[in-house]
Every structure is written in structure tokens, then in C-alpha cells.
Amino acid sequence: MTDFSARRTMMVDTQVRPSDVTKFPIIEAMLSVPREDFVPNAQKEAAYMGENLELGAGRVVLEPRSLAKMLDGLDISNDELVLDVGCAFGYSSAVVAHMAQAVVALEDDETAARDAADAWSAAGIDNVVPHVGPLTAGAQEHGPYDVIVVQGGVAHIPDTILSQLKEGGRIAALFMDGALGEARIGYKMDGKITWRLAFNAGAPVLPGFESHAKFQL
């Protein structure tokens, strides 16, 4: 029988801590959440690998390092509401739920969303609100949000998402330029987002988050 608990500890000790992620809530969450329960059954044995877990159709579960470092940069507190864009089978939302007051988990795949809800319930996580709908639309009825996390690559973030971030709020996303990418943390001040580089990483660009096509005559 696979010892997933030992793999979870090794993931934190070899992928998360060496990446200068030391905040206790992040470490505690990643040690506590059974990642293997938030991936497709065929992917359980690969759940703790140090790379993005491919789900098909341009979707992934972000590698533990990338997720941990984004959360480190966001510095989520326990009185904040978080929008998790593209939660897939719910792992990222489960981790964030250990830090935030509540999480709205946005997913456009109804099957994945149902599996995520079952996994949250099994893990005793009761502060995640599932929302099924287009990822580019966000979840306006539950917002505005103190924090937004995008679980995949982007070349462009729709204004519909950015408008749901509170003044003074933070957003994290992986901006891709071809095969190269960088994680950035954005801060909303005076209605505008100011971005800063956090670290280098990569992921497939989420459908709908591609660059705008340039107008040509």
C-alpha cells in the first residue's frame, strides 16, 4: 500500500521548504491536505511529483512549489475571502481553505467540481463554496474578493476577473510568454492593478486567458 502521508511530508521537505516558503499556515496546509484525494484516480500515484499534473485540455494541477510560492506572496489571512479560479479537482482550494475565512472555488468542468466537493467533504473542509461556470466570468455574486488566485497560465486576465478584486486586494497568476513564464503578484490600488515579479514558473495557458488577437486590416 502506498504511504501517501510519507510522500506528503517528503513533498513539503524537498519541494516547498527549499523554495523559501516558511509561513506556518502554508506548511501546515500542505502537510494536512491529502493531495492524492484531489486528483483523478489514474493520477494518484503521481500526485506528489514535483511538476504540473496534466489533466488534459490545457488544464493542470499546479506543481506544489508554484502553488506554495504564490500563496507565500499573497500572504492570505484568516479573515479574507478568496476566489480560486480553475480549482479543477479542488486541491488548491483545500489548501487555501486552511488560511482564509472562505474560498469560492470556480471550475467550469461539472464532473471535476462534483469530485472536488466530495473530496472537501471527506477531508472535513467546510469553508469552500463551489461555483460552476466559465473561468473567464469569475463568480461575481460571491465577491468582491480580498484575494484571487489563478490556477494555470495566462497571457491576459479578463477585466471581468480583475473587477471582482477589492480595492487593496491581491491577485496571483502565472504569465506565460511561449514556453517561459513568471508568477506575478498584483495589487489593486485606485482601481488599477500593479504587478510585481515573484518567481519563474510555467503552466499551460488556461482557455480564455490567451492574448488578445491584434487587429489587422
Side-chain angles (χ1 to χ4, degrees), residues 99-183:
M99 307 166 209
Q101 183 176 64
V103 182
V104 175
L106 174 60
E107 177 52 46
D108 61 4
D109 184 315
E110 293 188 12
T111 300
R114 284 196 300 269
D115 289 348
D118 290 342
W120 295 323
S121 179
I125 297 170
D126 60 4
N127 61 333
V128 178
V129 178
H131 184 94
V132 178
L135 302 187
T136 54
Q140 185 173 3
E141 56 265 50
H142 301 292
Y145 301 95
D146 299 288
V147 176
I148 297 176
V149 193
V150 182
Q151 300 295 333
V154 306
H156 162 79
I157 300 178
D159 289 339
T160 49
I161 297 286
L162 300 177
S163 67
Q164 294 171 31
L165 186 63
K166 285 182 182 178
E167 183 71 11
R170 293 97 65 210
I171 180 171
L174 296 175
F175 284 82
M176 301 301 299
D177 183 6
L180 302 176
E182 56 185 37

Side-chain angles (χ1 to χ4, degrees), residues 45-61:
E45 286 297 323
Y48 292 97
M49 293 178 63
E51 57 189 48
N52 295 329
L53 192 64
E54 299 286 343
L55 299 176
R59 300 293 303 279
V60 299
V61 179

Side-chain angles (χ1 to χ4, degrees), residues 35-52:
R35 187 174 166 95
E36 72 276 7
D37 291 344
F38 293 90
V39 301
N41 287 332
Q43 300 274 42
K44 286 186 182 293
E45 286 297 323
Y48 292 97
M49 293 178 63
E51 57 189 48
N52 295 329

Side-chain angles (χ1 to χ4, degrees), residues 13 20 24 66 72-73 81 84 100 132 137 139 162-163 171 182 189 202 207:
D13 288 345
D20 295 324
F24 175 77
S66 292
D72 187 66
L81 175 63
D84 191 25
V132 178
L162 300 177
S163 67
I171 180 171
E182 56 185 37
M189 300 296 292

